[in-house]
mmCIF file of all heavy atoms in Angstrom:
data_model
loop_
_atom_site.group_PDB
_atom_site.id
_atom_site.type_symbol
_atom_site.label_atom_id
_atom_site.label_comp_id
_atom_site.label_asym_id
_atom_site.label_seq_id
_atom_site.Cartn_x
_atom_site.Cartn_y
_atom_site.Cartn_z
ATOM 1 N N GLU A 1 99.561 78.676 115.874
ATOM 2 C CA GLU A 1 100.277 78.472 114.588
ATOM 3 C C GLU A 1 100.264 79.732 113.770
ATOM 4 O O GLU A 1 101.280 80.161 113.173
ATOM 5 C CB GLU A 1 99.684 77.342 113.824
ATOM 6 C CG GLU A 1 99.932 75.970 114.451
ATOM 7 C CD GLU A 1 99.192 74.853 113.726
ATOM 8 O OE1 GLU A 1 98.254 75.133 112.987
ATOM 9 O OE2 GLU A 1 99.571 73.653 113.954
ATOM 10 N N ALA A 2 99.093 80.425 113.719
ATOM 11 C CA ALA A 2 98.977 81.652 112.860
ATOM 12 C C ALA A 2 99.847 82.749 113.480
ATOM 13 O O ALA A 2 100.483 83.494 112.727
ATOM 14 C CB ALA A 2 97.521 82.134 112.840
ATOM 15 N N ALA A 3 99.848 82.864 114.812
ATOM 16 C CA ALA A 3 100.641 83.980 115.445
ATOM 17 C C ALA A 3 102.167 83.654 115.241
ATOM 18 O O ALA A 3 102.927 84.591 115.035
ATOM 19 C CB ALA A 3 100.324 84.003 116.941
ATOM 20 N N VAL A 4 102.563 82.446 115.325
ATOM 21 C CA VAL A 4 103.982 82.071 115.125
ATOM 22 C C VAL A 4 104.371 82.338 113.710
ATOM 23 O O VAL A 4 105.470 82.871 113.386
ATOM 24 C CB VAL A 4 104.244 80.591 115.514
ATOM 25 C CG1 VAL A 4 105.641 80.190 115.121
ATOM 26 C CG2 VAL A 4 104.013 80.405 117.047
ATOM 27 N N ALA A 5 103.437 82.021 112.767
ATOM 28 C CA ALA A 5 103.716 82.285 111.349
ATOM 29 C C ALA A 5 103.694 83.800 111.067
ATOM 30 O O ALA A 5 104.279 84.274 110.101
ATOM 31 C CB ALA A 5 102.639 81.592 110.517
ATOM 32 N N GLY A 6 102.970 84.593 111.899
ATOM 33 C CA GLY A 6 102.958 86.008 111.750
ATOM 34 C C GLY A 6 101.979 86.419 110.609
ATOM 35 O O GLY A 6 102.416 86.967 109.587
ATOM 36 N N ILE A 7 100.684 86.193 110.793
ATOM 37 C CA ILE A 7 99.698 86.479 109.797
ATOM 38 C C ILE A 7 98.563 87.245 110.408
ATOM 39 O O ILE A 7 98.097 86.876 111.512
ATOM 40 C CB ILE A 7 99.207 85.251 109.065
ATOM 41 C CG1 ILE A 7 98.194 85.603 107.944
ATOM 42 C CG2 ILE A 7 98.609 84.249 110.029
ATOM 43 C CD1 ILE A 7 97.820 84.447 107.094
ATOM 44 N N PRO A 8 98.139 88.361 109.798
ATOM 45 C CA PRO A 8 96.911 89.057 110.331
ATOM 46 C C PRO A 8 95.752 88.132 110.475
ATOM 47 O O PRO A 8 95.502 87.295 109.554
ATOM 48 C CB PRO A 8 96.644 90.152 109.230
ATOM 49 C CG PRO A 8 98.012 90.407 108.661
ATOM 50 C CD PRO A 8 98.673 89.035 108.629
ATOM 51 N N LEU A 9 95.058 88.171 111.616
ATOM 52 C CA LEU A 9 94.113 87.133 111.997
ATOM 53 C C LEU A 9 92.748 87.656 112.310
ATOM 54 O O LEU A 9 92.623 88.643 113.082
ATOM 55 C CB LEU A 9 94.769 86.446 113.253
ATOM 56 C CG LEU A 9 93.984 85.308 113.882
ATOM 57 C CD1 LEU A 9 93.731 84.161 112.901
ATOM 58 C CD2 LEU A 9 94.775 84.767 115.084
ATOM 59 N N ALA A 10 91.748 87.073 111.764
ATOM 60 C CA ALA A 10 90.313 87.376 112.033
ATOM 61 C C ALA A 10 89.678 86.144 112.615
ATOM 62 O O ALA A 10 89.632 85.069 111.913
ATOM 63 C CB ALA A 10 89.589 87.869 110.778
ATOM 64 N N HIS A 11 89.196 86.178 113.832
ATOM 65 C CA HIS A 11 88.599 85.032 114.468
ATOM 66 C C HIS A 11 87.126 84.946 114.118
ATOM 67 O O HIS A 11 86.383 85.891 114.342
ATOM 68 C CB HIS A 11 88.800 85.128 115.981
ATOM 69 C CG HIS A 11 90.034 84.551 116.481
ATOM 70 N ND1 HIS A 11 90.805 85.072 117.495
ATOM 71 C CD2 HIS A 11 90.730 83.446 116.090
ATOM 72 C CE1 HIS A 11 91.876 84.341 117.691
ATOM 73 N NE2 HIS A 11 91.850 83.330 116.854
ATOM 74 N N THR A 12 86.695 83.793 113.601
ATOM 75 C CA THR A 12 85.318 83.522 113.352
ATOM 76 C C THR A 12 84.683 83.013 114.686
ATOM 77 O O THR A 12 85.304 82.951 115.702
ATOM 78 C CB THR A 12 85.186 82.501 112.248
ATOM 79 O OG1 THR A 12 85.859 81.314 112.587
ATOM 80 C CG2 THR A 12 85.725 83.025 110.903
ATOM 81 N N ARG A 13 83.378 82.639 114.576
ATOM 82 C CA ARG A 13 82.664 82.260 115.818
ATOM 83 C C ARG A 13 83.347 81.147 116.515
ATOM 84 O O ARG A 13 83.700 80.117 115.947
ATOM 85 C CB ARG A 13 81.271 81.801 115.452
ATOM 86 C CG ARG A 13 80.385 82.944 114.876
ATOM 87 C CD ARG A 13 79.071 82.367 114.347
ATOM 88 N NE ARG A 13 78.276 83.442 113.732
ATOM 89 C CZ ARG A 13 77.204 84.004 114.309
ATOM 90 N NH1 ARG A 13 76.796 83.571 115.477
ATOM 91 N NH2 ARG A 13 76.511 84.926 113.658
ATOM 92 N N PRO A 14 83.516 81.270 117.879
ATOM 93 C CA PRO A 14 84.152 80.247 118.673
ATOM 94 C C PRO A 14 83.206 79.073 118.980
ATOM 95 O O PRO A 14 81.982 79.280 119.082
ATOM 96 C CB PRO A 14 84.614 80.944 119.916
ATOM 97 C CG PRO A 14 83.580 82.043 120.083
ATOM 98 C CD PRO A 14 83.199 82.486 118.693
ATOM 99 N N ILE A 15 83.758 77.852 119.131
ATOM 100 C CA ILE A 15 82.990 76.806 119.745
ATOM 101 C C ILE A 15 82.810 77.227 121.226
ATOM 102 O O ILE A 15 83.783 77.557 121.913
ATOM 103 C CB ILE A 15 83.690 75.419 119.676
ATOM 104 C CG1 ILE A 15 83.791 75.008 118.232
ATOM 105 C CG2 ILE A 15 82.992 74.360 120.521
ATOM 106 C CD1 ILE A 15 84.558 73.707 118.025
ATOM 107 N N PRO A 16 81.598 77.260 121.767
ATOM 108 C CA PRO A 16 81.411 77.728 123.093
ATOM 109 C C PRO A 16 82.261 76.990 124.153
ATOM 110 O O PRO A 16 82.441 75.747 124.083
ATOM 111 C CB PRO A 16 79.913 77.475 123.368
ATOM 112 C CG PRO A 16 79.322 77.451 122.013
ATOM 113 C CD PRO A 16 80.291 76.856 121.105
ATOM 114 N N GLY A 17 82.834 77.740 125.011
ATOM 115 C CA GLY A 17 83.705 77.136 126.066
ATOM 116 C C GLY A 17 85.089 77.776 126.024
ATOM 117 O O GLY A 17 85.274 78.955 126.021
ATOM 118 N N CYS A 18 86.105 76.893 125.902
ATOM 119 C CA CYS A 18 87.484 77.370 125.947
ATOM 120 C C CYS A 18 87.825 78.293 124.775
ATOM 121 O O CYS A 18 88.686 79.182 124.933
ATOM 122 C CB CYS A 18 88.420 76.212 125.997
ATOM 123 S SG CYS A 18 88.277 75.008 124.710
ATOM 124 N N GLU A 19 87.177 78.123 123.637
ATOM 125 C CA GLU A 19 87.489 79.010 122.506
ATOM 126 C C GLU A 19 87.049 80.455 122.752
ATOM 127 O O GLU A 19 87.653 81.370 122.191
ATOM 128 C CB GLU A 19 86.932 78.444 121.184
ATOM 129 C CG GLU A 19 87.660 77.191 120.736
ATOM 130 C CD GLU A 19 87.305 76.772 119.333
ATOM 131 O OE1 GLU A 19 86.484 77.455 118.673
ATOM 132 O OE2 GLU A 19 87.872 75.765 118.823
ATOM 133 N N ASP A 20 86.040 80.642 123.572
ATOM 134 C CA ASP A 20 85.682 82.017 123.989
ATOM 135 C C ASP A 20 86.849 82.672 124.737
ATOM 136 O O ASP A 20 87.169 83.858 124.499
ATOM 137 C CB ASP A 20 84.480 82.008 124.912
ATOM 138 C CG ASP A 20 83.175 81.600 124.175
ATOM 139 O OD1 ASP A 20 82.868 82.233 123.181
ATOM 140 O OD2 ASP A 20 82.514 80.682 124.650
ATOM 141 N N CYS A 21 87.535 81.906 125.561
ATOM 142 C CA CYS A 21 88.669 82.372 126.271
ATOM 143 C C CYS A 21 89.862 82.627 125.363
ATOM 144 O O CYS A 21 90.596 83.644 125.560
ATOM 145 C CB CYS A 21 89.124 81.347 127.393
ATOM 146 S SG CYS A 21 87.823 81.017 128.612
ATOM 147 N N ASN A 22 90.070 81.758 124.383
ATOM 148 C CA ASN A 22 91.153 81.995 123.435
ATOM 149 C C ASN A 22 90.920 83.280 122.695
ATOM 150 O O ASN A 22 91.824 84.094 122.523
ATOM 151 C CB ASN A 22 91.174 80.820 122.440
ATOM 152 C CG ASN A 22 91.518 79.510 123.055
ATOM 153 O OD1 ASN A 22 92.111 79.474 124.174
ATOM 154 N ND2 ASN A 22 91.134 78.437 122.386
ATOM 155 N N GLN A 23 89.697 83.493 122.230
ATOM 156 C CA GLN A 23 89.414 84.726 121.460
ATOM 157 C C GLN A 23 89.575 85.988 122.342
ATOM 158 O O GLN A 23 90.154 86.963 121.867
ATOM 159 C CB GLN A 23 87.920 84.666 120.983
ATOM 160 C CG GLN A 23 87.523 85.901 120.180
ATOM 161 C CD GLN A 23 86.137 85.739 119.579
ATOM 162 O OE1 GLN A 23 85.972 84.985 118.597
ATOM 163 N NE2 GLN A 23 85.169 86.327 120.209
ATOM 164 N N ALA A 24 89.141 85.857 123.591
ATOM 165 C CA ALA A 24 89.320 87.051 124.513
ATOM 166 C C ALA A 24 90.775 87.341 124.730
ATOM 167 O O ALA A 24 91.194 88.522 124.764
ATOM 168 C CB ALA A 24 88.602 86.745 125.801
ATOM 169 N N PHE A 25 91.599 86.286 124.866
ATOM 170 C CA PHE A 25 93.024 86.534 125.054
ATOM 171 C C PHE A 25 93.626 87.212 123.871
ATOM 172 O O PHE A 25 94.389 88.229 124.013
ATOM 173 C CB PHE A 25 93.743 85.207 125.367
ATOM 174 C CG PHE A 25 95.249 85.324 125.578
ATOM 175 C CD1 PHE A 25 95.726 85.524 126.812
ATOM 176 C CD2 PHE A 25 96.139 85.248 124.489
ATOM 177 C CE1 PHE A 25 97.120 85.638 127.007
ATOM 178 C CE2 PHE A 25 97.491 85.384 124.669
ATOM 179 C CZ PHE A 25 97.983 85.600 125.951
ATOM 180 N N TYR A 26 93.346 86.728 122.661
ATOM 181 C CA TYR A 26 93.944 87.308 121.463
ATOM 182 C C TYR A 26 93.387 88.701 121.223
ATOM 183 O O TYR A 26 94.206 89.581 120.814
ATOM 184 C CB TYR A 26 93.633 86.402 120.229
ATOM 185 C CG TYR A 26 94.702 85.354 120.032
ATOM 186 C CD1 TYR A 26 94.967 84.338 120.990
ATOM 187 C CD2 TYR A 26 95.528 85.362 118.899
ATOM 188 C CE1 TYR A 26 95.961 83.406 120.840
ATOM 189 C CE2 TYR A 26 96.544 84.443 118.701
ATOM 190 C CZ TYR A 26 96.738 83.483 119.655
ATOM 191 O OH TYR A 26 97.746 82.580 119.505
ATOM 192 N N ASN A 27 92.151 88.954 121.427
ATOM 193 C CA ASN A 27 91.607 90.311 121.281
ATOM 194 C C ASN A 27 92.285 91.265 122.253
ATOM 195 O O ASN A 27 92.603 92.401 121.889
ATOM 196 C CB ASN A 27 90.106 90.282 121.456
ATOM 197 C CG ASN A 27 89.353 89.640 120.341
ATOM 198 O OD1 ASN A 27 88.147 89.429 120.409
ATOM 199 N ND2 ASN A 27 90.033 89.314 119.231
ATOM 200 N N SER A 28 92.423 90.819 123.461
ATOM 201 C CA SER A 28 92.944 91.758 124.554
ATOM 202 C C SER A 28 94.380 92.193 124.221
ATOM 203 O O SER A 28 94.781 93.275 124.704
ATOM 204 C CB SER A 28 92.850 91.048 125.902
ATOM 205 O OG SER A 28 93.798 89.981 125.970
ATOM 206 N N HIS A 29 95.086 91.412 123.515
ATOM 207 C CA HIS A 29 96.488 91.752 123.146
ATOM 208 C C HIS A 29 96.659 92.302 121.765
ATOM 209 O O HIS A 29 97.752 92.554 121.320
ATOM 210 C CB HIS A 29 97.402 90.505 123.338
ATOM 211 C CG HIS A 29 97.637 90.109 124.753
ATOM 212 N ND1 HIS A 29 98.531 90.782 125.609
ATOM 213 C CD2 HIS A 29 97.062 89.145 125.527
ATOM 214 C CE1 HIS A 29 98.504 90.196 126.769
ATOM 215 N NE2 HIS A 29 97.629 89.235 126.775
ATOM 216 N N GLY A 30 95.538 92.481 121.073
ATOM 217 C CA GLY A 30 95.592 93.001 119.718
ATOM 218 C C GLY A 30 96.218 92.044 118.719
ATOM 219 O O GLY A 30 96.812 92.477 117.715
ATOM 220 N N LEU A 31 96.039 90.737 118.986
ATOM 221 C CA LEU A 31 96.607 89.732 118.065
ATOM 222 C C LEU A 31 95.607 89.235 117.027
ATOM 223 O O LEU A 31 96.018 88.521 116.102
ATOM 224 C CB LEU A 31 97.057 88.513 118.918
ATOM 225 C CG LEU A 31 97.849 88.765 120.161
ATOM 226 C CD1 LEU A 31 98.242 87.448 120.814
ATOM 227 C CD2 LEU A 31 99.053 89.592 119.854
ATOM 228 N N SER A 32 94.391 89.685 117.130
ATOM 229 C CA SER A 32 93.323 89.317 116.183
ATOM 230 C C SER A 32 92.206 90.279 116.276
ATOM 231 O O SER A 32 92.113 91.150 117.187
ATOM 232 C CB SER A 32 92.792 87.870 116.496
ATOM 233 O OG SER A 32 92.075 87.877 117.665
ATOM 234 N N VAL A 33 91.276 90.161 115.276
ATOM 235 C CA VAL A 33 89.996 90.944 115.360
ATOM 236 C C VAL A 33 88.914 89.933 115.384
ATOM 237 O O VAL A 33 89.038 88.773 114.904
ATOM 238 C CB VAL A 33 89.845 91.911 114.128
ATOM 239 C CG1 VAL A 33 90.907 92.992 114.165
ATOM 240 C CG2 VAL A 33 89.878 91.164 112.784
ATOM 241 N N SER A 34 87.793 90.305 115.951
ATOM 242 C CA SER A 34 86.616 89.443 115.928
ATOM 243 C C SER A 34 85.375 90.355 116.053
ATOM 244 O O SER A 34 85.472 91.507 116.356
ATOM 245 C CB SER A 34 86.598 88.473 117.116
ATOM 246 O OG SER A 34 86.617 89.115 118.380
ATOM 247 N N ALA A 35 84.173 89.726 115.773
ATOM 248 C CA ALA A 35 82.922 90.487 115.780
ATOM 249 C C ALA A 35 81.778 89.567 116.057
ATOM 250 O O ALA A 35 81.913 88.329 115.978
ATOM 251 C CB ALA A 35 82.768 91.190 114.426
ATOM 252 N N ASP A 36 80.584 90.169 116.298
ATOM 253 C CA ASP A 36 79.394 89.373 116.627
ATOM 254 C C ASP A 36 78.688 88.829 115.402
ATOM 255 O O ASP A 36 77.820 87.982 115.555
ATOM 256 C CB ASP A 36 78.464 90.242 117.389
ATOM 257 C CG ASP A 36 78.984 90.627 118.825
ATOM 258 O OD1 ASP A 36 79.794 89.854 119.326
ATOM 259 O OD2 ASP A 36 78.604 91.702 119.332
ATOM 260 N N SER A 37 79.033 89.339 114.229
ATOM 261 C CA SER A 37 78.355 88.846 113.029
ATOM 262 C C SER A 37 79.392 88.680 111.902
ATOM 263 O O SER A 37 80.443 89.338 111.962
ATOM 264 C CB SER A 37 77.283 89.775 112.551
ATOM 265 O OG SER A 37 77.795 90.967 112.035
ATOM 266 N N GLU A 38 79.075 87.818 110.929
ATOM 267 C CA GLU A 38 79.996 87.626 109.798
ATOM 268 C C GLU A 38 80.156 88.984 109.002
ATOM 269 O O GLU A 38 81.286 89.235 108.561
ATOM 270 C CB GLU A 38 79.466 86.522 108.924
ATOM 271 C CG GLU A 38 79.687 85.141 109.444
ATOM 272 C CD GLU A 38 78.863 84.786 110.655
ATOM 273 O OE1 GLU A 38 77.795 85.320 110.788
ATOM 274 O OE2 GLU A 38 79.353 83.952 111.445
ATOM 275 N N ARG A 39 79.102 89.667 108.864
ATOM 276 C CA ARG A 39 79.164 90.952 108.128
ATOM 277 C C ARG A 39 80.132 91.895 108.773
ATOM 278 O O ARG A 39 80.985 92.525 108.069
ATOM 279 C CB ARG A 39 77.793 91.537 107.921
ATOM 280 C CG ARG A 39 77.769 92.824 107.058
ATOM 281 C CD ARG A 39 76.361 93.323 106.829
ATOM 282 N NE ARG A 39 75.574 92.352 106.069
ATOM 283 C CZ ARG A 39 75.624 92.175 104.823
ATOM 284 N NH1 ARG A 39 76.429 92.959 104.081
ATOM 285 N NH2 ARG A 39 74.886 91.274 104.211
ATOM 286 N N GLN A 40 79.976 92.084 110.049
ATOM 287 C CA GLN A 40 80.812 92.999 110.765
ATOM 288 C C GLN A 40 82.287 92.494 110.780
ATOM 289 O O GLN A 40 83.223 93.282 110.618
ATOM 290 C CB GLN A 40 80.339 93.136 112.201
ATOM 291 C CG GLN A 40 81.116 94.219 113.042
ATOM 292 C CD GLN A 40 80.615 94.305 114.448
ATOM 293 O OE1 GLN A 40 79.702 93.556 114.869
ATOM 294 N NE2 GLN A 40 81.194 95.239 115.231
ATOM 295 N N LEU A 41 82.478 91.177 110.888
ATOM 296 C CA LEU A 41 83.824 90.668 110.893
ATOM 297 C C LEU A 41 84.532 90.898 109.543
ATOM 298 O O LEU A 41 85.688 91.267 109.517
ATOM 299 C CB LEU A 41 83.783 89.168 111.230
ATOM 300 C CG LEU A 41 85.147 88.448 111.214
ATOM 301 C CD1 LEU A 41 86.052 89.011 112.268
ATOM 302 C CD2 LEU A 41 84.977 86.941 111.399
ATOM 303 N N VAL A 42 83.805 90.687 108.433
ATOM 304 C CA VAL A 42 84.381 90.910 107.126
ATOM 305 C C VAL A 42 84.753 92.377 106.952
ATOM 306 O O VAL A 42 85.831 92.714 106.408
ATOM 307 C CB VAL A 42 83.411 90.411 106.039
ATOM 308 C CG1 VAL A 42 83.849 90.940 104.634
ATOM 309 C CG2 VAL A 42 83.341 88.927 106.026
ATOM 310 N N GLU A 43 83.852 93.285 107.398
ATOM 311 C CA GLU A 43 84.160 94.702 107.307
ATOM 312 C C GLU A 43 85.429 95.049 108.075
ATOM 313 O O GLU A 43 86.279 95.807 107.623
ATOM 314 C CB GLU A 43 82.988 95.532 107.746
ATOM 315 C CG GLU A 43 81.789 95.432 106.813
ATOM 316 C CD GLU A 43 80.551 96.121 107.389
ATOM 317 O OE1 GLU A 43 80.565 96.543 108.537
ATOM 318 O OE2 GLU A 43 79.529 96.193 106.631
ATOM 319 N N MET A 44 85.548 94.488 109.294
ATOM 320 C CA MET A 44 86.756 94.790 110.100
ATOM 321 C C MET A 44 88.002 94.209 109.523
ATOM 322 O O MET A 44 89.054 94.876 109.452
ATOM 323 C CB MET A 44 86.524 94.195 111.530
ATOM 324 C CG MET A 44 85.483 94.871 112.334
ATOM 325 S SD MET A 44 85.258 94.053 113.992
ATOM 326 C CE MET A 44 86.821 94.366 114.752
ATOM 327 N N ALA A 45 87.890 93.020 108.942
ATOM 328 C CA ALA A 45 89.034 92.339 108.348
ATOM 329 C C ALA A 45 89.486 93.083 107.090
ATOM 330 O O ALA A 45 90.678 93.237 106.844
ATOM 331 C CB ALA A 45 88.714 90.890 108.052
ATOM 332 N N MET A 46 88.537 93.535 106.280
ATOM 333 C CA MET A 46 88.889 94.226 105.035
ATOM 334 C C MET A 46 89.534 95.567 105.354
ATOM 335 O O MET A 46 90.389 96.037 104.667
ATOM 336 C CB MET A 46 87.661 94.404 104.164
ATOM 337 C CG MET A 46 87.112 93.056 103.568
ATOM 338 S SD MET A 46 88.252 92.204 102.495
ATOM 339 C CE MET A 46 88.909 90.964 103.668
ATOM 340 N N ASP A 47 89.048 96.218 106.441
ATOM 341 C CA ASP A 47 89.654 97.461 106.863
ATOM 342 C C ASP A 47 91.075 97.198 107.327
ATOM 343 O O ASP A 47 91.985 98.001 107.019
ATOM 344 C CB ASP A 47 88.823 98.080 108.025
ATOM 345 C CG ASP A 47 89.415 99.335 108.501
ATOM 346 O OD1 ASP A 47 89.497 100.368 107.773
ATOM 347 O OD2 ASP A 47 89.836 99.369 109.685
#
């Protein structure tokens, strides 16, 4: 929904399992940013 709407996207922690795959797909295509910690994610998103 976010990608269809066209909005910059920061992925928070995935529910283990299929959401790990979703995050990997989006990251690999440059459709979102993600990080291992909330602090790092906020810094990446603000940048």
Side-chain angles (χ1 to χ4, degrees):
E1 288 174 344
V4 171
I7 180 171
L9 179 59
H11 272 142
T12 57
R13 293 171 185 254
I15 294 177
C18 55
E19 290 191 359
D20 291 306
C21 300
N22 296 339
Q23 180 174 283
F25 180 90
Y26 269 65
N27 288 172
S28 69
H29 289 282
L31 312 183
S32 69
V33 296
S34 63
D36 294 331
S37 71
E38 283 68 29
R39 183 174 298 278
Q40 186 181 3
L41 179 62
V42 168
E43 291 174 355
M44 292 176 66
M46 292 300 100
D47 178 66

